[in-house]
Amino acid sequence: MSTRYPAEVDVTIVGSGPNGAAYARILSEEAPDAVIAMFEVGPAVSDPLGSHVKNILDVDARTLAQRSSQGPAAAAETVADPGAVKAGARMARPGTYLLEGGYQAEGEDGMPVVAFSSNVGGMGAHWTAACPRPGGSERIAFLPDLDELLAEADRLLAVTTDAFEQAPFTALVRERLSRAVDPHRADPATHVQRMPLAVHRREDGRLVWSGADVVLGDVTRANERFSLFDESLVTRVLLEDGRAAGVEVRDLRTGESHTVRARFVVVAADGLRTAQVLYASGIRPAALGRMLNDQSQVVFAARLTDVSAPHDVQGGSTAAAGTISEQSGVSWVPFTDEEPWHGQVMQLDASPIPLADDDPVVPGSIVGLGLFTAKDLQWDDRVEFSDEEVDGYGMPAMRIRYRLTPRDHEVLDRARAQIVELAKAVGEPLGDRPFTMPLGASLHYQGATRMGQTDDGRSVCGPDSEVWQAPGVFVAGNNVIPTSTACNPTLTSVALAIRGARRIAAELAHSES
Ligand code: FAD
């Protein structure tokens, strides 16, 4: 049986999003002799491989890339802002698709808009690229090197804080938010500031959003021992004597299954599907799928009414439709334990609510406010997998079991009050009251393969992301984050992936010497 896959490699990586890419990058840098095969169930949708679809200027080509990322729901209608779907309809964001069933058990909150992306680059080809650092109880206290890992994650994701500095009124928005927030906060690190973004400006002036391509970097692309196979579903991790031995992978182009042997297997198959791959492989520790948490999200908008367009700003947006434009300054209200939410304040292209025809919008003057709240962690919040039913890929079907606690409701109430205060501080609020997004909308699913300091039955993997129960198997993604976070989690999960990749590199070096 001919196959495009190698029979044996040193490391296989399941999933090609930012976290899988971080393993490939660190291994290419630190273990250049290692043979690495990356498998991705979705197709390649952008060039360079894994690049962000916002970098595709042609609208039709970008729409095709988004639809091709939507797995079994390629033809489904999507909505750029799930906050716009207020009538109880379930709709996904472009480039993502929703869990078809099992998203809400009777009498529970569930996660009605829990979503996935299946494409080279994963959700990292569609994300907003906000990369704040965790603070207070969001941090993982048992990792002494967390700050160094976060700095390294900044390097891999090419995080900057000045990409939008020339956006109109950004400094003004920040100043007004600061006046409302900073006086209650003693620690300057928690003051309002520019949002760190995985966005940089090329020499020709164009903005570039980081995707998995940026994380892979030239060093991985030049690594002849690294290969990426798209349309390749890993159905199972293979174990021998309890240790990683390789993967079983189905070539979706031929329908044939193959075995690829490997000493190390990294499962970076997203917040929920990483747990699914372990389950399908018979790796089922008690904590698998448990302590699932997502960030609830409250949104509102305000308008700067006391400003006029600067001379150098054109009325139209320089960005392609549906992308962040040059007018999109992004400000950050950091999480604190006392105010357990994270604020992302973005200047929008257009008002989220209709304005009068004779009331033209000054570019940059519409300000979208979003507060993400940290979940009260519960053992019973979980993703379960079926032994009988399968999903669109033939993998064990998921069922979400998820409830908000009284404390979650209390924090949400406070966040709703706070966002109104912030809107008033910025300008004139647009609309009567904030909108609370349907659960799952944040796309930040954490905990399902959580990290622990010790194998205490409450975690799936150790501080290097190696699965306690299966040496040589590593897990990656937001699912590894053990704390309850409100900040966007990708920077943190990439930091954890860097630690895991270094461990594999060290083991490979040790076995060579
Ligand atoms: P993913 O990027 O989801 O990649 C996982 C890959 O694994 C997928 O491509 C999937 O197809 C593949 N896969 C799954 N199962 C298998 C299998 N069995 N075999 C082979 N391949 C498999 N995060 C932030 O931190 N900041 C933001 O501002 C932000 N904004 C976002 C906005 C949007 C619209 C979206 C969609 C997401 C946003 N996110 C944001 C979330 C962010 O994109 C994710 O945190 C990040 O992509 C996670 O990286 P990952 O590599 O763990 O998973």
Side-chain angles (χ1 to χ4, degrees):
M1 188 163 56
S2 76
T3 166
R4 56 186 170 128
Y5 307 136
E8 185 162 3
V9 297
D10 294 304
V11 185
T12 58
I13 301 172
V14 186
S16 65
N19 278 292
Y23 271 84
R25 167 78 170 267
I26 296 295
L27 287 168
S28 295
E29 288 177 348
E30 297 189 13
D33 291 333
V35 179
I36 308 164
M38 176 182 273
F39 297 106
E40 167 55 53
V41 65
V45 300
S46 52
D47 180 22
L49 285 175
S51 52
H52 203 298
V53 303
K54 279 179 192 165
N55 301 328
I56 303 174
L57 294 182
D58 180 75
V59 178
D60 291 339
R62 190 169 61 252
T63 304
L64 179 64
Q66 288 167 332
R67 290 197 171 278
S68 307
S69 304
Q70 289 166 204
E77 212 188 318
T78 54
V79 60
D81 170 12
V85 187
K86 297 192 184 180
R90 294 173 64 241
M91 276 166 88
R93 309 263 286 270
T96 71
Y97 61 97
L98 301 179
L99 186 62
E100 234 175 277
Y103 49 83
Q104 188 174 25
E106 183 140 5
E108 297 186 2
D109 296 295
M111 286 191 193
V113 293
V114 65
F116 312 88
S117 297
S118 287
N119 54 281
V120 173
M123 278 193 184
H126 309 282
W127 69 325
T128 311
C131 283
R133 290 201 176 194
S137 59
E138 292 183 309
R139 290 171 60 85
I140 304 162
F142 60 79
L143 290 183
D145 51 350
L146 185 62
D147 288 318
E148 187 266 323
L149 294 169
L150 290 165
E152 186 68 348
D154 278 340
R155 176 178 77 92
L156 264 54
L157 287 158
V159 175
T160 69
T161 51
D162 57 1
F164 291 99
E165 236 355 66
Q166 61 207 59
F169 317 126
T170 299
L172 180 68
V173 170
R174 237 183 359 251
E175 191 188 304
R176 292 182 176 179
L177 288 169
S178 292
R179 249 185 272 143
V181 172
D182 297 352
H184 324 294
R185 297 183 170 199
D187 180 1
T190 64
H191 287 179
V192 173
Q193 53 199 279
R194 296 173 187 173
M195 178 69 82
L197 292 166
V199 180
H200 67 275
R201 204 171 274 281
R202 288 193 331 197
E203 269 171 25
D204 65 4
R206 259 193 56 202
L207 289 170
V208 180
W209 276 261
S210 297
D213 63 322
V214 169
V215 179
L216 290 170
D218 289 339
V219 65
T220 313
R221 277 185 287 276
N223 181 356
E224 289 175 355
R225 294 183 170 83
F226 168 76
S227 326
L228 194 168
F229 302 95
D230 69 348
E231 298 179 89
S232 299
L233 173 76
V234 170
T235 48
R236 209 152 58 98
V237 176
L238 303 172
L239 301 178
E240 273 172 21
D241 301 325
R243 238 204 94 80
V247 292
E248 188 179 86
V249 51
R250 187 181 308 144
D251 187 340
L252 299 187
R253 294 182 190 167
T254 64
E256 287 167 357
S257 282
H258 303 273
T259 294
V260 177
R261 294 188 60 80
R263 287 174 55 201
F264 297 96
V265 177
V266 178
V267 188
D270 86 29
L272 296 164
R273 285 183 286 177
T274 298
Q276 183 186 49
V277 172
L278 294 195
Y279 187 88
S281 314
I283 305 170
R284 301 176 183 180
L288 188 70
R290 298 256 170 194
M291 307 285 267
L292 180 66
N293 65 102
D294 176 42
Q295 300 158 352
S296 291
Q297 214 180 332
V298 178
V299 293
F300 203 30
R303 186 179 187 186
L304 303 170
T305 47
D306 51 347
V307 295
S308 51
H311 295 304
D312 56 344
V313 175
Q314 304 300 310
S317 159
T318 52
T323 73
I324 297 181
S325 73
E326 297 278 345
Q327 276 92 57
S328 306
V330 189
S331 305
W332 175 28
V333 183
F335 167 94
T336 66
D337 288 339
E338 294 71 34
E339 295 180 313
W341 45 76
H342 152 83
Q344 188 167 317
V345 179
M346 299 183 21
Q347 287 158 264
L348 306 175
D349 289 348
S351 170
I353 64 162
L355 299 174
D357 288 346
D358 60 353
D359 186 9
V361 168
V362 173
S365 66
I366 303 290
V367 181
L369 301 112
L371 293 182
F372 296 80
T373 63
K375 176 85 175 72
D376 186 13
L377 297 187
Q378 301 186 100
W379 179 251
D380 279 345
D381 289 331
R382 63 195 187 276
V383 51
E384 296 175 338
F385 301 98
S386 172
D387 288 321
E388 285 88 40
E389 290 167 46
V390 292
D391 66 11
Y393 291 110
M395 297 293 280
M398 292 181 193
R399 196 165 117 99
I400 304 289
R401 307 296 309 274
Y402 198 71
R403 290 172 199 263
L404 297 185
T405 68
R407 203 180 113 209
D408 288 326
H409 285 291
E410 183 246 319
V411 170
L412 266 170
D413 283 343
R414 287 175 58 207
R416 279 186 281 260
Q418 169 79 7
I419 207 167
V420 172
E421 289 312 308
L422 296 181
K424 285 183 188 158
V426 165
E428 190 179 290
L430 286 169
D432 310 334
R433 68 183 84 90
F435 178 66
T436 306
M437 303 277 242
L439 295 180
S442 85
L443 306 159
H444 299 159
Y445 317 124
Q446 301 167 100
T449 65
R450 71 199 295 262
M451 178 183 277
Q453 188 172 18
T454 58
D455 185 7
D456 59 0
R458 306 281 288 183
S459 58
V460 169
C461 66
D464 290 336
S465 300
E466 189 176 32
V467 175
W468 296 118
Q469 195 177 309
V473 179
F474 288 68
V475 280
N478 302 330
N479 36 289
V480 177
I481 298 173
T483 49
S484 173
T485 74
C487 74
N488 320 67
T490 310
L491 183 82
T492 304
S493 57
V494 167
L496 303 182
I498 290 165
R499 197 172 212 268
R502 286 177 179 168
R503 166 67 195 288
I504 296 177
E507 284 206 24
L508 286 167
H510 182 71
S511 56
E512 268 168 24
S513 58

